[in-house]
Amino acid sequence: MTGDTVSLFFLFCLFFYIGLITIGGGLVGLTIMQQLLVDRFHLITPEFFYSMVAVSESTPGPIGVNMATYIGTELYGPGGGIITTLGQVLPSIICILIIARFFGKFSDRAGVKAAFSTLRPAVTGVIAVAAAKIFVIALLTLPSGGISALDSLKNTQVWLGLFNFQNIFFYVLACIILFKTKIHPLFVVMMGGFYGVLFL
């Protein structure tokens, strides 16, 4: 967390805006949340944000809604969690009601099909950005200057120190379990939780 505070109404409007422009699911919303909550308004620290990402991914429900609930609760208690969750889901509810009413009338139009075709690669790129940021936070130990500080690193040992080999080993192990066995992903998530408690 940081020392910056905002009103609950502002937080509601912020999550309403996030929910309104999030096209492509919760992972797209993560990138937008990181830009607004961490980089622009400094409501939470990057470390706290990605810790919440891990918790939200590990709990049932859409990750964007989980994040909104978590952040609202941390900043303003249970009432804040309800308000931020409402702000996050309200745009989707409004859009779904409108689409359900009118989509059948224009879904076959060429312009609508072209718009959806264009959205797919754009959304994929935004999701890739969110995944890359989580990957860096989880598996690397960056210097205080961030990625830009790497240009000045000439020592091989310093470069090797950037890699969190313990986390990388667990990541590879989790991938092997997921892709080479029939173990349910839930157990891999539980393994990650125990790993974090015991070794981090």
Side-chain angles (χ1 to χ4, degrees):
M1 305 294 291
T2 70
D4 297 347
T5 58
V6 294
S7 69
L8 190 55
F9 177 72
F10 177 84
L11 207 59
F12 169 82
C13 294
L14 186 62
F15 276 97
F16 186 91
Y17 171 75
I18 293 171
L20 185 63
I21 65 173
T22 297
I23 300 174
L27 290 177
V28 176
L30 290 183
T31 301
I32 301 171
M33 287 183 189
Q34 191 268 337
Q35 291 173 346
L36 294 176
L37 299 172
V38 179
D39 297 336
R40 183 173 180 181
F41 295 109
H42 309 289
L43 299 179
I44 54 178
T45 63
E47 293 77 12
F48 189 79
F49 176 79
Y50 287 109
S51 294
M52 287 194 292
V53 171
V55 172
S56 298
E57 280 279 40
S58 304
T59 51
I63 184 171
V65 177
N66 290 349
M67 287 285 290
T69 305
Y70 194 174
I71 293 172
T73 302
E74 283 292 328
L75 294 178
Y76 281 99
I82 294 173
I83 294 298
T84 52
T85 302
L86 181 62
Q88 178 73 19
V89 303
L90 195 55
S92 298
I93 294 174
I94 295 172
C95 289
I96 286 298
L97 291 176
I98 295 174
I99 290 173
R101 177 67 178 84
F102 298 106
F103 185 71
K105 297 181 180 180
F106 58 80
S107 59
D108 292 330
R109 294 184 180 180
V112 174
K113 292 181 178 179
F116 279 107
S117 297
T118 306
L119 282 173
R120 293 189 191 103
V123 169
T124 301
V126 176
I127 293 174
V129 169
K133 289 182 178 180
I134 296 173
F135 189 86
V136 169
I137 291 293
L139 303 182
L140 301 180
T141 305
L142 295 177
S144 57
I147 296 177
S148 60
L150 298 181
D151 295 336
S152 61
L153 299 178
K154 305 297 182 181
N155 192 315
T156 303
Q157 292 182 344
V158 175
W159 275 95
L160 290 176
L162 296 175
F163 298 95
N164 189 327
F165 290 103
Q166 180 175 306
N167 285 0
I168 291 174
F169 173 78
F170 182 81
Y171 171 76
V172 173
L173 177 63
C175 288
I176 292 174
I177 294 174
L178 283 173
F179 292 109
K180 297 297 183 180
T181 71
K182 296 182 179 180
I183 294 178
H184 195 280
L186 174 62
F187 293 102
V188 180
V189 172
M190 293 174 61
M191 285 173 52
F194 284 119
Y195 167 76
V197 170
L198 296 175
F199 298 105
L200 299 180

